[in-house]
Amino acid sequence: MLESCVTYSVLPASDLQRATAWYRDKLELEPERTTEGGVLYGTGAAGKIYLYETANAGTAKNTSMCWLVDDIEATMAHLRDRGVEFADYDFPGLKTENGIATDEMGKSAWFQDSEGNYLCLTQEA
């Protein structure tokens, strides 16, 4: 039943004004709609991101959302030019080189937004 449904991500922000500015300035996303306490962005063909204000922002230590990209190196270069910093990891099962982890699934790179949410770029193999 759900395999044909569009999904969207819901991300917490402790400061919605700061988060909205970060998504605009760093990721070049403009709100599709603003609601009381939240901002909705459209991405890709039908993807959505909803940022909402809560004191719980930045408490999750896992990846909250990924973008599937065609050229991870080019996308990272563009975002780095806009001030996005990518994480480097080196522990069993995950090692990055220049911010990119490679495995049988493809390539991935992680960064945090202004609210501490872990976001990811993925280029499928």
Side-chain angles (χ1 to χ4, degrees):
M1 177 177 168
L2 296 178
E3 68 271 4
S4 63
C5 297
V6 174
T7 62
Y8 71 92
S9 298
V10 178
L11 300 175
S14 58
D15 183 328
L16 191 58
Q17 209 170 20
R18 176 182 62 211
T20 302
W22 192 90
Y23 277 74
R24 180 193 63 233
D25 297 343
K26 304 294 185 195
L27 305 184
E28 301 176 284
L29 295 176
E30 291 295 334
E32 189 174 276
R33 183 176 21 178
T34 301
T35 65
E36 181 77 26
V39 178
L40 183 70
Y41 296 93
T43 64
K48 304 283 183 195
I49 302 168
Y50 183 68
L51 284 173
Y52 71 101
E53 197 156 46
T54 177
N56 297 327
T59 59
K61 301 303 177 201
N62 58 289
T63 304
S64 298
M65 181 181 66
C66 286
W67 278 273
L68 295 175
V69 298
D70 293 327
D71 184 338
I72 197 166
E73 287 89 354
T75 304
M76 290 174 71
H78 180 78
L79 292 175
R80 280 179 170 142
D81 286 347
R82 301 189 68 73
V84 173
E85 295 180 18
F86 288 87
D88 275 309
Y89 299 105
D90 187 4
F91 53 84
L94 182 63
K95 179 169 176 49
T96 57
E97 291 185 32
N98 195 28
I100 299 174
T102 303
D103 63 18
E104 65 277 358
M105 300 284 290
K107 299 176 181 180
S108 295
W110 291 266
F111 60 98
Q112 287 183 278
D113 69 7
S114 63
E115 307 309 294
N117 296 306
Y118 288 86
L119 309 177
C120 175
L121 303 176
T122 298
Q123 180 180 324
E124 294 178 312

PDB file of all heavy atoms in Angstrom, residues 99-117:
ATOM      1  N   GLY A  99      35.568  13.565   2.983  1.00  0.00           N
ATOM      2  CA  GLY A  99      34.155  13.658   3.351  1.00  0.00           C
ATOM      3  C   GLY A  99      33.257  12.605   2.738  1.00  0.00           C
ATOM      4  O   GLY A  99      32.058  12.591   3.016  1.00  0.00           O
ATOM      5  N   ILE A 100      33.781  11.705   1.924  1.00  0.00           N
ATOM      6  CA  ILE A 100      32.953  10.730   1.208  1.00  0.00           C
ATOM      7  C   ILE A 100      33.253   9.311   1.685  1.00  0.00           C
ATOM      8  O   ILE A 100      34.403   8.882   1.697  1.00  0.00           O
ATOM      9  CB  ILE A 100      33.185  10.810  -0.312  1.00  0.00           C
ATOM     10  CG1 ILE A 100      32.807  12.202  -0.837  1.00  0.00           C
ATOM     11  CG2 ILE A 100      32.382   9.731  -1.044  1.00  0.00           C
ATOM     12  CD1 ILE A 100      33.150  12.416  -2.300  1.00  0.00           C
ATOM     13  N   ALA A 101      32.202   8.582   2.046  1.00  0.00           N
ATOM     14  CA  ALA A 101      32.297   7.154   2.360  1.00  0.00           C
ATOM     15  C   ALA A 101      31.817   6.387   1.127  1.00  0.00           C
ATOM     16  O   ALA A 101      30.818   6.754   0.511  1.00  0.00           O
ATOM     17  CB  ALA A 101      31.425   6.810   3.554  1.00  0.00           C
ATOM     18  N   THR A 102      32.549   5.331   0.775  1.00  0.00           N
ATOM     19  CA  THR A 102      32.190   4.519  -0.381  1.00  0.00           C
ATOM     20  C   THR A 102      31.981   3.079   0.061  1.00  0.00           C
ATOM     21  O   THR A 102      32.780   2.534   0.816  1.00  0.00           O
ATOM     22  CB  THR A 102      33.309   4.574  -1.446  1.00  0.00           C
ATOM     23  OG1 THR A 102      33.539   5.956  -1.797  1.00  0.00           O
ATOM     24  CG2 THR A 102      32.926   3.816  -2.701  1.00  0.00           C
ATOM     25  N   ASP A 103      30.873   2.485  -0.393  1.00  0.00           N
ATOM     26  CA  ASP A 103      30.616   1.071  -0.144  1.00  0.00           C
ATOM     27  C   ASP A 103      29.838   0.498  -1.332  1.00  0.00           C
ATOM     28  O   ASP A 103      29.693   1.176  -2.347  1.00  0.00           O
ATOM     29  CB  ASP A 103      29.876   0.859   1.177  1.00  0.00           C
ATOM     30  CG  ASP A 103      28.499   1.498   1.220  1.00  0.00           C
ATOM     31  OD1 ASP A 103      27.928   1.833   0.158  1.00  0.00           O
ATOM     32  OD2 ASP A 103      27.963   1.651   2.325  1.00  0.00           O
ATOM     33  N   GLU A 104      29.351  -0.736  -1.188  1.00  0.00           N
ATOM     34  CA  GLU A 104      28.662  -1.380  -2.303  1.00  0.00           C
ATOM     35  C   GLU A 104      27.372  -0.666  -2.717  1.00  0.00           C
ATOM     36  O   GLU A 104      26.888  -0.842  -3.824  1.00  0.00           O
ATOM     37  CB  GLU A 104      28.372  -2.858  -1.983  1.00  0.00           C
ATOM     38  CG  GLU A 104      27.399  -3.095  -0.843  1.00  0.00           C
ATOM     39  CD  GLU A 104      28.038  -3.041   0.538  1.00  0.00           C
ATOM     40  OE1 GLU A 104      29.267  -2.856   0.656  1.00  0.00           O
ATOM     41  OE2 GLU A 104      27.293  -3.178   1.524  1.00  0.00           O
ATOM     42  N   MET A 105      26.821   0.164  -1.844  1.00  0.00           N
ATOM     43  CA  MET A 105      25.600   0.925  -2.149  1.00  0.00           C
ATOM     44  C   MET A 105      25.906   2.193  -2.950  1.00  0.00           C
ATOM     45  O   MET A 105      25.032   2.727  -3.602  1.00  0.00           O
ATOM     46  CB  MET A 105      24.877   1.306  -0.857  1.00  0.00           C
ATOM     47  CG  MET A 105      24.440   0.126  -0.018  1.00  0.00           C
ATOM     48  SD  MET A 105      23.005  -0.693  -0.674  1.00  0.00           S
ATOM     49  CE  MET A 105      21.763   0.531  -0.366  1.00  0.00           C
ATOM     50  N   GLY A 106      27.132   2.693  -2.857  1.00  0.00           N
ATOM     51  CA  GLY A 106      27.502   3.916  -3.549  1.00  0.00           C
ATOM     52  C   GLY A 106      28.381   4.802  -2.687  1.00  0.00           C
ATOM     53  O   GLY A 106      29.211   4.322  -1.917  1.00  0.00           O
ATOM     54  N   LYS A 107      28.181   6.102  -2.793  1.00  0.00           N
ATOM     55  CA  LYS A 107      28.959   7.087  -2.042  1.00  0.00           C
ATOM     56  C   LYS A 107      28.007   7.935  -1.204  1.00  0.00           C
ATOM     57  O   LYS A 107      26.916   8.281  -1.659  1.00  0.00           O
ATOM     58  CB  LYS A 107      29.713   8.019  -2.999  1.00  0.00           C
ATOM     59  CG  LYS A 107      30.710   7.343  -3.905  1.00  0.00           C
ATOM     60  CD  LYS A 107      31.312   8.368  -4.856  1.00  0.00           C
ATOM     61  CE  LYS A 107      32.313   7.737  -5.802  1.00  0.00           C
ATOM     62  NZ  LYS A 107      32.875   8.752  -6.714  1.00  0.00           N
ATOM     63  N   SER A 108      28.466   8.294   0.007  1.00  0.00           N
ATOM     64  CA  SER A 108      27.658   9.136   0.885  1.00  0.00           C
ATOM     65  C   SER A 108      28.543  10.141   1.603  1.00  0.00           C
ATOM     66  O   SER A 108      29.721   9.879   1.857  1.00  0.00           O
ATOM     67  CB  SER A 108      26.919   8.290   1.926  1.00  0.00           C
ATOM     68  OG  SER A 108      25.985   7.438   1.306  1.00  0.00           O
ATOM     69  N   ALA A 109      27.956  11.276   1.948  1.00  0.00           N
ATOM     70  CA  ALA A 109      28.645  12.335   2.687  1.00  0.00           C
ATOM     71  C   ALA A 109      27.636  12.982   3.631  1.00  0.00           C
ATOM     72  O   ALA A 109      26.474  13.178   3.268  1.00  0.00           O
ATOM     73  CB  ALA A 109      29.216  13.368   1.731  1.00  0.00           C
ATOM     74  N   TRP A 110      28.091  13.309   4.856  1.00  0.00           N
ATOM     75  CA  TRP A 110      27.204  13.830   5.882  1.00  0.00           C
ATOM     76  C   TRP A 110      27.607  15.237   6.307  1.00  0.00           C
ATOM     77  O   TRP A 110      28.784  15.581   6.324  1.00  0.00           O
ATOM     78  CB  TRP A 110      27.248  12.925   7.119  1.00  0.00           C
ATOM     79  CG  TRP A 110      26.619  11.599   6.877  1.00  0.00           C
ATOM     80  CD1 TRP A 110      25.324  11.231   7.131  1.00  0.00           C
ATOM     81  CD2 TRP A 110      27.249  10.440   6.327  1.00  0.00           C
ATOM     82  NE1 TRP A 110      25.127   9.928   6.766  1.00  0.00           N
ATOM     83  CE2 TRP A 110      26.291   9.412   6.265  1.00  0.00           C
ATOM     84  CE3 TRP A 110      28.545  10.167   5.859  1.00  0.00           C
ATOM     85  CZ2 TRP A 110      26.570   8.147   5.777  1.00  0.00           C
ATOM     86  CZ3 TRP A 110      28.833   8.905   5.360  1.00  0.00           C
ATOM     87  CH2 TRP A 110      27.845   7.909   5.334  1.00  0.00           C
ATOM     88  N   PHE A 111      26.591  16.025   6.676  1.00  0.00           N
ATOM     89  CA  PHE A 111      26.791  17.364   7.213  1.00  0.00           C
ATOM     90  C   PHE A 111      25.648  17.663   8.174  1.00  0.00           C
ATOM     91  O   PHE A 111      24.635  16.965   8.182  1.00  0.00           O
ATOM     92  CB  PHE A 111      26.884  18.416   6.105  1.00  0.00           C
ATOM     93  CG  PHE A 111      25.668  18.521   5.222  1.00  0.00           C
ATOM     94  CD1 PHE A 111      24.706  19.504   5.441  1.00  0.00           C
ATOM     95  CD2 PHE A 111      25.477  17.646   4.155  1.00  0.00           C
ATOM     96  CE1 PHE A 111      23.581  19.614   4.626  1.00  0.00           C
ATOM     97  CE2 PHE A 111      24.369  17.752   3.329  1.00  0.00           C
ATOM     98  CZ  PHE A 111      23.415  18.728   3.569  1.00  0.00           C
ATOM     99  N   GLN A 112      25.829  18.683   9.004  1.00  0.00           N
ATOM    100  CA  GLN A 112      24.787  19.092   9.934  1.00  0.00           C
ATOM    101  C   GLN A 112      24.214  20.431   9.513  1.00  0.00           C
ATOM    102  O   GLN A 112      24.932  21.300   9.004  1.00  0.00           O
ATOM    103  CB  GLN A 112      25.349  19.209  11.349  1.00  0.00           C
ATOM    104  CG  GLN A 112      25.626  17.863  11.988  1.00  0.00           C
ATOM    105  CD  GLN A 112      26.118  18.035  13.404  1.00  0.00           C
ATOM    106  OE1 GLN A 112      27.297  18.297  13.618  1.00  0.00           O
ATOM    107  NE2 GLN A 112      25.216  17.911  14.376  1.00  0.00           N
ATOM    108  N   ASP A 113      22.908  20.592   9.752  1.00  0.00           N
ATOM    109  CA  ASP A 113      22.289  21.887   9.509  1.00  0.00           C
ATOM    110  C   ASP A 113      22.504  22.780  10.725  1.00  0.00           C
ATOM    111  O   ASP A 113      23.193  22.397  11.682  1.00  0.00           O
ATOM    112  CB  ASP A 113      20.811  21.736   9.119  1.00  0.00           C
ATOM    113  CG  ASP A 113      19.906  21.256  10.246  1.00  0.00           C
ATOM    114  OD1 ASP A 113      20.357  21.138  11.410  1.00  0.00           O
ATOM    115  OD2 ASP A 113      18.724  20.985   9.966  1.00  0.00           O
ATOM    116  N   SER A 114      21.946  23.965  10.709  1.00  0.00           N
ATOM    117  CA  SER A 114      22.131  24.918  11.804  1.00  0.00           C
ATOM    118  C   SER A 114      21.532  24.435  13.116  1.00  0.00           C
ATOM    119  O   SER A 114      21.874  24.948  14.178  1.00  0.00           O
ATOM    120  CB  SER A 114      21.507  26.269  11.430  1.00  0.00           C
ATOM    121  OG  SER A 114      20.098  26.123  11.244  1.00  0.00           O
ATOM    122  N   GLU A 115      20.660  23.442  13.064  1.00  0.00           N
ATOM    123  CA  GLU A 115      19.970  22.953  14.256  1.00  0.00           C
ATOM    124  C   GLU A 115      20.556  21.649  14.795  1.00  0.00           C
ATOM    125  O   GLU A 115      20.041  21.077  15.741  1.00  0.00           O
ATOM    126  CB  GLU A 115      18.483  22.762  13.944  1.00  0.00           C
ATOM    127  CG  GLU A 115      17.830  23.996  13.354  1.00  0.00           C
ATOM    128  CD  GLU A 115      18.100  25.256  14.168  1.00  0.00           C
ATOM    129  OE1 GLU A 115      17.617  25.334  15.309  1.00  0.00           O
ATOM    130  OE2 GLU A 115      18.815  26.155  13.676  1.00  0.00           O
ATOM    131  N   GLY A 116      21.626  21.158  14.150  1.00  0.00           N
ATOM    132  CA  GLY A 116      22.266  19.940  14.607  1.00  0.00           C
ATOM    133  C   GLY A 116      21.717  18.665  13.999  1.00  0.00           C
ATOM    134  O   GLY A 116      22.091  17.572  14.406  1.00  0.00           O
ATOM    135  N   ASN A 117      20.814  18.779  13.021  1.00  0.00           N
ATOM    136  CA  ASN A 117      20.295  17.602  12.331  1.00  0.00           C
ATOM    137  C   ASN A 117      21.361  17.075  11.374  1.00  0.00           C
ATOM    138  O   ASN A 117      21.988  17.857  10.665  1.00  0.00           O
ATOM    139  CB  ASN A 117      19.031  17.944  11.527  1.00  0.00           C
ATOM    140  CG  ASN A 117      17.901  18.388  12.414  1.00  0.00           C
ATOM    141  OD1 ASN A 117      17.517  17.700  13.347  1.00  0.00           O
ATOM    142  ND2 ASN A 117      17.368  19.568  12.134  1.00  0.00           N
TER     143      ASN A 117
END
